[in-house]
Amino acid sequence: MFRLWSNSHQDRPENDTLHRESKVKELKVAIGPLSGRSLQFCTDACFMRYLEARNWNVDKATKMLEESLKWRSTYGPEEIRWREVAVEGETGKLFRATFHDRQGRSVLILKPGLQNTAAIDNQMRHLVYLIENAILNLPEGQEQMAWLIDFTGWSLSNSVPVKSARETIHILQNHYPERLGIAFLYNPPRIFEAFWKVVKYFLDAKTFEKVKFVYPKNKDSVELMRSYFDEENLPTEFGGKATFNYDHEEFSKMMLQDDAKSATLWGFDDKLQLVSKGHFGAEVAPEPVCIAPSAS
């Protein structure tokens, strides 16, 4: 009996792989022929993310992916350039760190207490731009990113509207499935509980499980976060040892470099020329910079 169980158990990884490959083939057939950017977007890894998000149900994954392709064709996330959303980043309320977590995932740092604009549409474009940027900077073989959310200065008076939070969750869950690996909410004030009670209902079960609350005086939650991040890279505002001050000008230079990478990737070299010539604002020369400690 033990031998039978053992053999069966050992076969599972191979069977799982074959099962997933079969599902990917089914999804490809269901989606049908693709061209242009849609073809470039729909890699095997992409198909697997959408299937995973819908528990490998091909019909549900097909519907989800079709809606994302329609959204991408109209919203144009890969066409957004830093010049168009730079005003949103002036306070450092949302930016990509230059270190990765222990699993090699890109890290987005969010500081909702530094909200500086009121236009929700542009806030969402800024968010989408940085999600795309985080994906652009993933190492080979890594599909996910991590979020670090610092609640310093946060209050109900300066918090993002529920509408913005709902739209953020909608975009992340429906158009970037399985891209979020973990999200740490660091030291949220007690009053945040009221806001969270509303927002959490927009989260699906998988996303909800990825959201972790960290309190500096709670040893278990601190240890959990440190299991994902090297203390030497983690900024002091998250309990780490790295001293870091957001510099908007330096970050903008880095984003212009990444705009060049993105333009090449998606075939928008002609649009990049408009950006580099300052058609979206004063020219900033893209020079190599480091805005936070590199991962060791």
Side-chain angles (χ1 to χ4, degrees):
M1 181 181 296
F2 174 77
R3 183 179 297 132
L4 289 174
W5 179 88
S6 178
N7 289 340
S8 171
H9 182 72
Q10 290 175 357
D11 287 343
R12 284 178 187 173
E14 182 179 354
N15 288 340
D16 284 347
T17 299
L18 292 174
H19 175 72
R20 292 185 178 199
E21 289 177 351
S22 175
K23 291 291 185 180
V24 167
K25 290 179 181 178
E26 287 184 50
L27 181 53
K28 286 181 178 180
V29 171
I31 290 296
L34 296 168
S35 62
R37 282 175 277 167
S38 292
L39 178 61
Q40 189 173 352
F41 176 74
C42 290
T43 61
D44 282 0
C46 172
F47 285 126
M48 290 184 71
R49 286 194 303 273
Y50 278 81
L51 284 163
E52 180 69 30
R54 290 297 178 261
N55 295 312
W56 297 88
N57 182 301
V58 174
D59 290 339
K60 292 181 178 179
T62 300
K63 181 180 179 181
M64 185 185 196
L65 181 51
E66 286 177 341
E67 290 175 351
S68 284
L69 291 175
K70 182 179 179 180
W71 174 78
R72 292 186 72 89
S73 70
T74 56
Y75 200 88
E78 68 275 18
E79 297 183 48
I80 303 172
R81 293 293 177 260
W82 177 246
R83 293 297 187 189
E84 303 167 50
V85 297
V87 64
E88 298 289 341
E90 288 179 350
T91 60
K93 67 183 179 187
L94 170 59
F95 61 93
R96 178 179 60 80
T98 55
F99 62 87
H100 293 77
D101 74 358
R102 294 185 189 276
Q103 296 184 37
R105 295 183 286 211
S106 295
V107 179
L108 289 185
I109 294 180
L110 296 81
K111 299 190 175 189
L114 299 180
Q115 181 59 261
N116 62 324
T117 64
I120 294 177
D121 288 348
N122 211 48
Q123 290 171 7
M124 291 302 104
R125 284 175 61 79
H126 180 231
L127 171 70
V128 168
Y129 172 86
L130 282 165
I131 290 176
E132 291 281 327
N133 184 265
I135 294 169
L136 179 70
N137 284 280
L138 286 172
E140 185 176 354
Q142 180 54 261
E143 293 285 311
Q144 297 184 316
M145 59 185 157
W147 286 16
L148 285 173
I149 307 174
D150 173 21
F151 283 87
T152 301
W154 186 92
S155 67
L156 287 178
S157 63
N158 67 5
S159 66
V160 296
V162 171
K163 180 181 179 182
S164 295
R166 182 173 58 190
E167 182 65 13
T168 296
I169 293 168
H170 172 78
I171 289 172
L172 185 64
Q173 291 183 160
N174 292 286
H175 301 314
Y176 295 95
E178 296 304 310
R179 283 300 194 183
L180 180 67
I182 194 78
F184 286 104
L185 279 60
Y186 192 82
N187 202 27
R190 184 171 295 275
I191 197 170
F192 177 75
E193 293 176 9
F195 185 77
W196 177 246
K197 285 179 180 179
V198 176
V199 171
K200 70 179 182 180
Y201 288 108
F202 305 135
L203 296 170
D204 61 32
K206 286 188 176 183
T207 306
F208 183 82
E209 288 299 316
K210 295 173 182 178
V211 178
K212 308 296 181 184
F213 285 74
V214 179
Y215 298 95
K217 295 182 180 180
N218 183 302
K219 184 177 179 181
D220 290 340
S221 66
V222 169
E223 287 302 315
L224 176 64
M225 191 170 78
R226 288 178 179 172
S227 70
Y228 282 85
F229 296 95
D230 186 334
E231 269 189 303
E232 299 300 322
N233 295 325
L234 201 61
T236 53
E237 58 263 39
F238 292 101
K241 297 181 179 180
T243 301
F244 167 71
N245 293 309
Y246 176 78
D247 185 317
H248 185 61
E249 183 177 348
E250 293 301 300
F251 186 74
S252 293
K253 291 177 182 178
M254 188 171 73
M255 290 301 96
L256 288 181
Q257 291 180 72
D258 283 353
D259 280 352
K261 289 164 55 180
S262 178
T264 300
L265 177 67
W266 291 103
F268 287 118
D269 295 300
D270 54 341
K271 182 166 183 174
L272 174 65
Q273 293 302 313
L274 293 178
V275 177
S276 65
K277 291 177 182 177
H279 285 232
F280 295 122
E283 183 175 359
V284 177
E287 299 174 354
V289 294
C290 181
I291 63 166
S294 301
S296 57

Short mmCIF file of all heavy atoms in Angstrom, two decimals, residues 178-216:
data_model
loop_
_atom_site.label_atom_id
_atom_site.label_comp_id
_atom_site.label_asym_id
_atom_site.label_seq_id
_atom_site.Cartn_x
_atom_site.Cartn_y
_atom_site.Cartn_z
N GLU A 178 -2.50 37.36 -10.53
CA GLU A 178 -1.32 36.63 -10.07
C GLU A 178 -0.02 37.41 -10.23
O GLU A 178 1.07 36.83 -10.21
CB GLU A 178 -1.21 35.28 -10.80
CG GLU A 178 -2.35 34.33 -10.52
CD GLU A 178 -2.56 34.03 -9.03
OE1 GLU A 178 -1.55 33.69 -8.36
OE2 GLU A 178 -3.69 34.16 -8.54
N ARG A 179 -0.13 38.72 -10.36
CA ARG A 179 1.07 39.56 -10.40
C ARG A 179 1.47 40.00 -8.98
O ARG A 179 2.65 40.28 -8.74
CB ARG A 179 0.83 40.80 -11.27
CG ARG A 179 0.88 40.54 -12.77
CD ARG A 179 2.22 40.01 -13.21
NE ARG A 179 2.41 40.07 -14.67
CZ ARG A 179 3.47 39.62 -15.30
NH1 ARG A 179 4.46 39.07 -14.62
NH2 ARG A 179 3.58 39.71 -16.62
N LEU A 180 0.52 40.10 -8.09
CA LEU A 180 0.84 40.46 -6.71
C LEU A 180 1.22 39.21 -5.93
O LEU A 180 0.44 38.26 -5.84
CB LEU A 180 -0.36 41.14 -6.04
CG LEU A 180 -0.15 41.56 -4.57
CD1 LEU A 180 0.89 42.69 -4.49
CD2 LEU A 180 -1.46 42.01 -3.94
N GLY A 181 2.44 39.21 -5.39
CA GLY A 181 2.89 38.09 -4.59
C GLY A 181 2.56 38.27 -3.12
O GLY A 181 2.11 37.34 -2.45
N ILE A 182 2.77 39.48 -2.63
CA ILE A 182 2.54 39.79 -1.21
C ILE A 182 2.38 41.29 -1.06
O ILE A 182 2.98 42.06 -1.82
CB ILE A 182 3.72 39.28 -0.33
CG1 ILE A 182 3.36 39.27 1.16
CG2 ILE A 182 4.98 40.09 -0.60
CD1 ILE A 182 2.52 38.11 1.57
N ALA A 183 1.55 41.71 -0.11
CA ALA A 183 1.39 43.14 0.19
C ALA A 183 1.43 43.31 1.70
O ALA A 183 0.62 42.70 2.42
CB ALA A 183 0.07 43.66 -0.37
N PHE A 184 2.37 44.11 2.18
CA PHE A 184 2.49 44.37 3.60
C PHE A 184 1.96 45.76 3.93
O PHE A 184 2.42 46.76 3.38
CB PHE A 184 3.95 44.27 4.05
CG PHE A 184 4.46 42.86 4.11
CD1 PHE A 184 5.30 42.36 3.13
CD2 PHE A 184 4.08 42.01 5.15
CE1 PHE A 184 5.77 41.05 3.17
CE2 PHE A 184 4.54 40.70 5.21
CZ PHE A 184 5.39 40.22 4.21
N LEU A 185 0.98 45.81 4.81
CA LEU A 185 0.43 47.08 5.30
C LEU A 185 1.14 47.36 6.63
O LEU A 185 0.87 46.70 7.64
CB LEU A 185 -1.08 46.98 5.51
CG LEU A 185 -1.97 47.15 4.26
CD1 LEU A 185 -1.65 46.08 3.22
CD2 LEU A 185 -3.44 47.08 4.64
N TYR A 186 2.08 48.32 6.60
CA TYR A 186 2.95 48.55 7.75
C TYR A 186 2.39 49.61 8.69
O TYR A 186 2.20 50.76 8.32
CB TYR A 186 4.35 48.96 7.28
CG TYR A 186 5.38 48.92 8.38
CD1 TYR A 186 5.99 47.73 8.74
CD2 TYR A 186 5.73 50.08 9.07
CE1 TYR A 186 6.94 47.67 9.76
CE2 TYR A 186 6.68 50.05 10.08
CZ TYR A 186 7.28 48.84 10.43
OH TYR A 186 8.21 48.80 11.44
N ASN A 187 2.12 49.15 9.90
CA ASN A 187 1.70 50.03 11.00
C ASN A 187 0.51 50.93 10.67
O ASN A 187 0.55 52.15 10.90
CB ASN A 187 2.88 50.89 11.45
CG ASN A 187 2.70 51.40 12.88
OD1 ASN A 187 2.02 50.77 13.68
ND2 ASN A 187 3.29 52.53 13.18
N PRO A 188 -0.58 50.38 10.16
CA PRO A 188 -1.76 51.22 9.90
C PRO A 188 -2.38 51.70 11.21
O PRO A 188 -2.41 50.94 12.19
CB PRO A 188 -2.71 50.27 9.15
CG PRO A 188 -2.30 48.90 9.62
CD PRO A 188 -0.82 48.96 9.82
N PRO A 189 -2.87 52.93 11.26
CA PRO A 189 -3.49 53.44 12.49
C PRO A 189 -4.81 52.71 12.76
O PRO A 189 -5.42 52.13 11.85
CB PRO A 189 -3.72 54.92 12.18
CG PRO A 189 -3.83 54.97 10.70
CD PRO A 189 -2.89 53.93 10.18
N ARG A 190 -5.24 52.75 14.00
CA ARG A 190 -6.47 52.05 14.36
C ARG A 190 -7.66 52.52 13.55
O ARG A 190 -8.55 51.72 13.20
CB ARG A 190 -6.75 52.25 15.86
CG ARG A 190 -7.96 51.48 16.37
CD ARG A 190 -8.06 51.54 17.88
NE ARG A 190 -6.93 50.85 18.48
CZ ARG A 190 -6.88 49.53 18.71
NH1 ARG A 190 -7.90 48.78 18.32
NH2 ARG A 190 -5.85 48.98 19.29
N ILE A 191 -7.67 53.79 13.20
CA ILE A 191 -8.79 54.33 12.44
C ILE A 191 -8.88 53.71 11.04
O ILE A 191 -9.93 53.75 10.39
CB ILE A 191 -8.70 55.87 12.35
CG1 ILE A 191 -10.05 56.46 11.95
CG2 ILE A 191 -7.60 56.29 11.39
CD1 ILE A 191 -10.12 57.95 12.07
N PHE A 192 -7.77 53.12 10.58
CA PHE A 192 -7.77 52.46 9.27
C PHE A 192 -8.73 51.28 9.24
O PHE A 192 -9.22 50.88 8.17
CB PHE A 192 -6.35 52.00 8.92
CG PHE A 192 -6.26 51.24 7.62
CD1 PHE A 192 -6.34 51.90 6.40
CD2 PHE A 192 -6.11 49.85 7.62
CE1 PHE A 192 -6.26 51.20 5.20
CE2 PHE A 192 -6.04 49.15 6.42
CZ PHE A 192 -6.11 49.83 5.22
N GLU A 193 -9.01 50.71 10.39
CA GLU A 193 -9.89 49.55 10.46
C GLU A 193 -11.25 49.83 9.81
O GLU A 193 -11.83 48.97 9.15
CB GLU A 193 -10.07 49.10 11.91
CG GLU A 193 -8.79 48.54 12.53
CD GLU A 193 -8.97 48.19 14.00
OE1 GLU A 193 -10.12 48.24 14.48
OE2 GLU A 193 -7.96 47.86 14.65
N ALA A 194 -11.75 51.04 10.00
CA ALA A 194 -13.05 51.40 9.43
C ALA A 194 -12.97 51.41 7.90
O ALA A 194 -13.88 50.93 7.21
CB ALA A 194 -13.49 52.77 9.94
N PHE A 195 -11.87 51.95 7.38
CA PHE A 195 -11.66 51.99 5.94
C PHE A 195 -11.48 50.57 5.39
O PHE A 195 -12.04 50.21 4.36
CB PHE A 195 -10.42 52.84 5.63
CG PHE A 195 -10.14 53.06 4.17
CD1 PHE A 195 -10.88 53.97 3.43
CD2 PHE A 195 -9.13 52.35 3.53
CE1 PHE A 195 -10.61 54.19 2.09
CE2 PHE A 195 -8.85 52.56 2.19
CZ PHE A 195 -9.60 53.48 1.47
N TRP A 196 -10.74 49.75 6.12
CA TRP A 196 -10.45 48.39 5.70
C TRP A 196 -11.72 47.53 5.65
O TRP A 196 -11.86 46.67 4.76
CB TRP A 196 -9.42 47.77 6.62
CG TRP A 196 -9.09 46.33 6.31
CD1 TRP A 196 -9.35 45.24 7.08
CD2 TRP A 196 -8.42 45.83 5.14
NE1 TRP A 196 -8.90 44.10 6.48
CE2 TRP A 196 -8.32 44.43 5.28
CE3 TRP A 196 -7.91 46.44 4.00
CZ2 TRP A 196 -7.73 43.63 4.32
CZ3 TRP A 196 -7.32 45.65 3.04
CH2 TRP A 196 -7.24 44.25 3.19
N LYS A 197 -12.63 47.76 6.56
CA LYS A 197 -13.87 46.98 6.59
C LYS A 197 -14.65 47.13 5.29
O LYS A 197 -15.35 46.22 4.87
CB LYS A 197 -14.73 47.40 7.78
CG LYS A 197 -14.22 46.89 9.12
CD LYS A 197 -15.11 47.36 10.26
CE LYS A 197 -14.59 46.84 11.60
NZ LYS A 197 -15.43 47.31 12.74
N VAL A 198 -14.54 48.30 4.68
CA VAL A 198 -15.22 48.54 3.41
C VAL A 198 -14.41 47.96 2.25
O VAL A 198 -14.93 47.23 1.40
CB VAL A 198 -15.45 50.05 3.19
CG1 VAL A 198 -16.09 50.29 1.81
CG2 VAL A 198 -16.32 50.62 4.29
N VAL A 199 -13.12 48.27 2.24
CA VAL A 199 -12.26 47.89 1.12
C VAL A 199 -12.11 46.38 0.98
O VAL A 199 -12.07 45.85 -0.14
CB VAL A 199 -10.87 48.55 1.27
CG1 VAL A 199 -9.89 48.00 0.24
CG2 VAL A 199 -11.00 50.05 1.11
N LYS A 200 -12.03 45.66 2.08
CA LYS A 200 -11.73 44.23 1.99
C LYS A 200 -12.80 43.44 1.24
O LYS A 200 -12.52 42.35 0.71
CB LYS A 200 -11.52 43.64 3.39
CG LYS A 200 -12.77 43.55 4.24
CD LYS A 200 -12.44 42.93 5.59
CE LYS A 200 -13.67 42.77 6.45
NZ LYS A 200 -13.34 42.18 7.77
N TYR A 201 -14.01 43.98 1.15
CA TYR A 201 -15.07 43.28 0.44
C TYR A 201 -14.87 43.29 -1.08
O TYR A 201 -15.50 42.53 -1.80
CB TYR A 201 -16.43 43.87 0.79
CG TYR A 201 -16.87 43.53 2.19
CD1 TYR A 201 -16.89 44.48 3.20
CD2 TYR A 201 -17.24 42.22 2.53
CE1 TYR A 201 -17.27 44.16 4.50
CE2 TYR A 201 -17.62 41.88 3.82
CZ TYR A 201 -17.63 42.86 4.80
OH TYR A 201 -18.01 42.53 6.08
N PHE A 202 -13.98 44.15 -1.56
CA PHE A 202 -13.67 44.18 -2.99
C PHE A 202 -12.59 43.16 -3.35
O PHE A 202 -12.33 42.92 -4.53
CB PHE A 202 -13.20 45.58 -3.42
CG PHE A 202 -14.17 46.68 -3.08
CD1 PHE A 202 -13.72 47.86 -2.51
CD2 PHE A 202 -15.52 46.53 -3.33
CE1 PHE A 202 -14.60 48.88 -2.20
CE2 PHE A 202 -16.42 47.54 -3.03
CZ PHE A 202 -15.95 48.72 -2.46
N LEU A 203 -11.94 42.58 -2.34
CA LEU A 203 -10.85 41.64 -2.58
C LEU A 203 -11.37 40.23 -2.76
O LEU A 203 -12.22 39.77 -1.99
CB LEU A 203 -9.87 41.66 -1.39
CG LEU A 203 -9.12 42.96 -1.12
CD1 LEU A 203 -8.39 42.86 0.22
CD2 LEU A 203 -8.13 43.27 -2.22
N ASP A 204 -10.84 39.52 -3.77
CA ASP A 204 -11.19 38.11 -3.86
C ASP A 204 -10.36 37.34 -2.84
O ASP A 204 -9.43 37.89 -2.23
CB ASP A 204 -10.98 37.57 -5.28
CG ASP A 204 -9.55 37.64 -5.77
OD1 ASP A 204 -8.62 37.52 -4.95
OD2 ASP A 204 -9.33 37.83 -6.98
N ALA A 205 -10.70 36.09 -2.63
CA ALA A 205 -10.07 35.31 -1.56
C ALA A 205 -8.56 35.20 -1.73
O ALA A 205 -7.80 35.31 -0.76
CB ALA A 205 -10.70 33.92 -1.51
N LYS A 206 -8.10 35.02 -2.97
CA LYS A 206 -6.67 34.86 -3.21
C LYS A 206 -5.90 36.13 -2.89
O LYS A 206 -4.83 36.10 -2.28
CB LYS A 206 -6.42 34.44 -4.65
CG LYS A 206 -6.78 33.00 -4.95
CD LYS A 206 -6.33 32.60 -6.34
CE LYS A 206 -6.59 31.12 -6.60
NZ LYS A 206 -6.10 30.68 -7.92
N THR A 207 -6.45 37.27 -3.30
CA THR A 207 -5.78 38.54 -3.02
C THR A 207 -5.80 38.84 -1.53
O THR A 207 -4.81 39.31 -0.96
CB THR A 207 -6.45 39.69 -3.79
OG1 THR A 207 -6.50 39.38 -5.18
CG2 THR A 207 -5.68 41.00 -3.60
N PHE A 208 -6.92 38.56 -0.89
CA PHE A 208 -7.06 38.81 0.54
C PHE A 208 -5.98 38.08 1.33
O PHE A 208 -5.41 38.63 2.28
CB PHE A 208 -8.45 38.36 1.01
CG PHE A 208 -8.73 38.64 2.46
CD1 PHE A 208 -9.16 39.90 2.86
CD2 PHE A 208 -8.56 37.66 3.42
CE1 PHE A 208 -9.41 40.17 4.20
CE2 PHE A 208 -8.81 37.92 4.76
CZ PHE A 208 -9.24 39.18 5.14
N GLU A 209 -5.67 36.83 0.93
CA GLU A 209 -4.66 36.04 1.63
C GLU A 209 -3.26 36.62 1.48
O GLU A 209 -2.38 36.35 2.29
CB GLU A 209 -4.67 34.60 1.10
CG GLU A 209 -5.88 33.79 1.54
CD GLU A 209 -5.97 33.64 3.04
OE1 GLU A 209 -4.92 33.36 3.67
OE2 GLU A 209 -7.07 33.81 3.60
N LYS A 210 -3.05 37.45 0.46
CA LYS A 210 -1.73 38.02 0.21
C LYS A 210 -1.50 39.32 0.98
O LYS A 210 -0.39 39.85 0.99
CB LYS A 210 -1.55 38.27 -1.29
CG LYS A 210 -1.55 37.00 -2.12
CD LYS A 210 -1.53 37.30 -3.61
CE LYS A 210 -1.58 36.02 -4.43
NZ LYS A 210 -1.61 36.27 -5.88
N VAL A 211 -2.53 39.86 1.60
CA VAL A 211 -2.42 41.11 2.34
C VAL A 211 -2.08 40.81 3.80
O VAL A 211 -2.83 40.11 4.49
CB VAL A 211 -3.73 41.92 2.26
CG1 VAL A 211 -3.61 43.20 3.10
CG2 VAL A 211 -4.06 42.25 0.81
N LYS A 212 -0.95 41.34 4.26
CA LYS A 212 -0.49 41.08 5.62
C LYS A 212 -0.33 42.40 6.38
O LYS A 212 0.25 43.36 5.87
CB LYS A 212 0.86 40.36 5.59
CG LYS A 212 0.89 39.12 4.71
CD LYS A 212 -0.04 38.03 5.19
CE LYS A 212 0.04 36.79 4.30
NZ LYS A 212 -0.94 35.75 4.71
N PHE A 213 -0.84 42.44 7.60
CA PHE A 213 -0.68 43.61 8.46
C PHE A 213 0.57 43.43 9.31
O PHE A 213 0.79 42.34 9.88
CB PHE A 213 -1.90 43.77 9.35
CG PHE A 213 -3.12 44.31 8.65
CD1 PHE A 213 -3.85 43.51 7.79
CD2 PHE A 213 -3.52 45.62 8.84
CE1 PHE A 213 -4.97 44.00 7.12
CE2 PHE A 213 -4.65 46.13 8.20
CZ PHE A 213 -5.36 45.31 7.32
N VAL A 214 1.38 44.47 9.38
CA VAL A 214 2.61 44.42 10.17
C VAL A 214 2.60 45.56 11.18
O VAL A 214 2.43 46.72 10.81
CB VAL A 214 3.86 44.54 9.28
CG1 VAL A 214 5.13 44.50 10.13
CG2 VAL A 214 3.90 43.41 8.26
N TYR A 215 2.79 45.20 12.44
CA TYR A 215 2.87 46.20 13.51
C TYR A 215 4.24 46.07 14.18
O TYR A 215 4.65 44.96 14.55
CB TYR A 215 1.76 45.98 14.53
CG TYR A 215 0.37 46.14 13.95
CD1 TYR A 215 -0.34 45.02 13.49
CD2 TYR A 215 -0.21 47.39 13.83
CE1 TYR A 215 -1.60 45.17 12.93
CE2 TYR A 215 -1.48 47.55 13.28
CZ TYR A 215 -2.16 46.43 12.83
OH TYR A 215 -3.42 46.58 12.27
N PRO A 216 4.98 47.18 14.31
CA PRO A 216 6.34 47.15 14.85
C PRO A 216 6.47 46.44 16.19
O PRO A 216 7.51 45.85 16.48
CB PRO A 216 6.71 48.63 14.98
CG PRO A 216 5.85 49.32 13.97
CD PRO A 216 4.56 48.56 13.94
#
